[in-house]
């Protein structure tokens, strides 16, 4: 009966209902799942139990941009597996410590960010790769141009129209790919790219 008691002691019960997801770990010089016969130790994350109705995205933000992020900001999540899908979410938590990754330079520090999905799709499963666009500022019905179309004359931004004419413009919000135009262009104006 000792063996029956030992078997009962080896049964691991999750504290919640959900989907069991086997984790990949560093073992014997490679990243892989634990297999039958492998030796494990306390604290090793083998399986994660997730609630498929409340999925989240775990990501990292560069330390230089971390002051722009706060809990509650709207997020649009894109999954590599489903490029045409965009799921709405919000920043749920922001880490308190900056860390360096083992694959990056020592001086590159990032802050962990957890995004809670507010919208779900039945095709979404745990451990898919994702990209998240965090909304930092919002300007509805804004006129915008690609950054590749911008030129600078000292501190004055300008663009070239399709006909080659230079137009000085006043900029508003900027992202990594485009800028809001507050003055100098009209809806329908076509600009040249560099």
């Amino acid at each position: 009966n000792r063996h029956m008691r030992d078997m009962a002691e080896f049964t691991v019960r999750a504290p919640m209902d959900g989907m069991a997801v086997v984790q990949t770990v560093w073992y014997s010089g490679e990243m892989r799942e634990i297999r039958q016969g492998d030796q494990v130790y306390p604290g090793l994350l083998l399986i994660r139990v997730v609630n498929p109705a409340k999925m989240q995205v775990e990501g990292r933000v560069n330390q230089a941009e971390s002051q722009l992020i706060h809990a509650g900001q709207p997020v649009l999540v894109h999954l590599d597996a489903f490029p045409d899908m965009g799921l709405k979410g919000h920043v749920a938590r922001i880490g308190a410590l900056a860390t360096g990754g083992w694959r990056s330079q020592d001086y590159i520090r990032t802050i962990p960010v957890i995004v809670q999905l507010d919208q779900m799709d039945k095709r979404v499963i745990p451990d898919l790769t994702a990209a998240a666009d965090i909304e930092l500022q919002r300007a509805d019905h804004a006129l915008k141009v690609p950054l590749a179309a911008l030129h600078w004359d000292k501190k004055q931004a300008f663009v070239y129209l399709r006909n080659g004419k230079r137009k000085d413009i006043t900029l508003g919000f900027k992202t990594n790919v485009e800028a809001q135009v507050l003055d100098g262009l009209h809806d329908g104006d076509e600009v040249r790219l560099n």
Side-chain angles (χ1 to χ4, degrees):
N1 284 336
R2 185 181 122 225
H3 297 295
M4 295 302 287
R5 190 177 72 242
D6 287 347
M7 288 303 291
E9 300 262 338
F10 281 115
T11 301
V12 178
R13 301 197 188 284
M16 59 181 260
D17 291 338
M19 179 188 304
V21 180
V22 177
Q23 301 296 292
T24 50
V25 296
W26 184 258
Y27 192 89
S28 296
E30 64 179 332
M31 290 297 290
R32 65 176 178 85
E33 296 173 357
I34 294 294
R35 302 180 192 133
Q36 184 176 354
D38 287 344
Q39 187 173 7
V40 296
Y41 53 86
L44 180 63
L45 180 61
L46 302 175
I47 297 174
R48 186 178 292 200
V49 179
V50 297
N51 179 350
K54 292 186 175 183
M55 301 283 270
Q56 61 186 25
V57 175
E58 298 175 2
R60 305 194 73 72
V61 173
N62 187 298
Q63 66 181 351
E65 298 170 338
S66 64
Q67 78 278 3
L68 303 173
I69 311 300
H70 61 270
Q73 280 177 297
V75 178
L76 186 60
V77 175
H78 300 279
L79 302 170
D80 292 346
F82 308 106
D84 295 333
M85 181 191 306
L87 298 173
K88 292 181 181 178
H90 66 276
V91 175
R93 291 188 307 278
I94 303 160
L97 294 174
T99 59
W102 63 282
R103 289 186 181 181
S104 62
Q105 300 291 335
D106 256 357
Y107 58 88
I108 298 175
R109 312 298 276 173
T110 58
I111 311 287
V113 175
I114 303 294
V115 172
Q116 180 70 45
L117 292 178
D118 299 329
Q119 185 181 19
M120 281 303 299
D121 185 288
K122 63 183 178 182
R123 297 174 290 172
V124 176
I125 58 174
D127 283 345
L128 293 177
T129 54
D133 294 322
I134 300 173
E135 186 178 294
L136 302 177
Q137 297 173 322
R138 182 174 193 85
D140 292 324
H141 311 294
L143 184 62
K144 55 191 176 184
V145 294
L147 291 184
L150 293 179
H151 299 274
W152 295 90
D153 184 3
K154 296 186 179 152
K155 292 187 178 185
Q156 177 62 55
F158 66 92
V159 294
Y160 288 108
L161 297 178
R162 184 176 187 178
N163 63 11
K165 182 180 174 188
R166 174 185 160 155
K167 287 285 279 188
D168 290 348
I169 58 174
T170 304
L171 298 178
F173 302 138
K174 278 198 311 188
T175 70
N176 291 338
V177 293
E178 58 193 7
Q180 177 189 20
V181 178
L182 299 174
D183 189 38
L185 286 178
H186 301 287
D187 194 18
D189 286 344
E190 294 182 11
V191 298
R192 288 185 181 179
L193 298 178
N194 286 339

